[in-house]
Amino acid sequence: MVVATLALRRSLHDVLNQYAPLVAVLGGAKVYDEPPRSAAFPYVTLGEAQTNDWSTGSSAGHEHALTLHVWSRQGGQSEAHVVAGEVIAALEIVPLDPEGQTLVNLRFATADIRREADGRTWHGVVRFRAVTEPA
């Protein structure tokens, strides 16, 4: 299970950092597992992942709930919406290829954009559902 989740997260990271429209709105390949302390806004981080057994009587599989975080400090919330939209577009257009896994499906679930307590930072939470099987 852990290997499937890690492979899926690596594939997400690689695809998002290579998707030109997202790279353009971020001002570079700024999708991080852990952002550097000096990361310039806006950027995206890989967030929480929950994995459940999705096996049947004849085959193994996993269901993944994946969360990506969008971070922006551009005046107002519009930049966070644009970045979240490009994340969603990338994962609807570009196929993921998690090593050792077959991606059965990947679906956008929900997005939430809100202002953080500091009053300056906009935080987008974008969630996806994926199902994988061992290759």
Side-chain angles (χ1 to χ4, degrees):
M1 167 174 69
V2 174
V3 174
T5 302
L6 185 57
L8 189 55
R9 288 174 60 90
R10 285 179 179 159
S11 186
L12 272 170
H13 178 267
D14 293 346
V15 161
L16 292 174
N17 270 326
Q18 295 171 12
Y19 184 66
L22 178 60
V23 171
V25 298
L26 291 175
K30 297 192 300 184
V31 177
Y32 306 111
D33 188 21
E34 178 70 30
R37 290 185 190 265
S38 62
F41 289 89
Y43 61 88
V44 174
T45 56
L46 301 180
E48 305 76 25
Q50 180 182 6
T51 305
N52 295 305
D53 184 32
W54 195 255
S55 300
T56 65
S58 60
S59 64
H62 297 98
E63 177 186 37
H64 309 267
L66 303 166
T67 304
L68 295 129
H69 297 274
V70 171
W71 302 95
S72 171
R73 282 201 177 147
Q74 187 65 26
Q77 60 181 292
S78 59
E79 183 179 62
H81 280 280
V82 169
V83 173
E86 291 299 345
V87 167
I88 295 164
L91 297 178
E92 288 177 344
I93 295 169
V94 182
L96 296 180
D97 187 21
E99 184 179 351
Q101 301 294 311
T102 299
L103 182 63
V104 176
N105 71 28
L106 175 69
R107 297 283 182 257
F108 165 70
T110 186
D112 178 34
I113 309 292
R114 61 181 172 258
R115 187 188 311 256
E116 288 292 289
D118 67 5
R120 296 178 35 203
T121 306
W122 286 91
H123 179 194
V125 179
V126 184
R127 292 186 172 92
F128 291 86
R129 175 193 176 270
V131 176
T132 58
E133 295 175 342

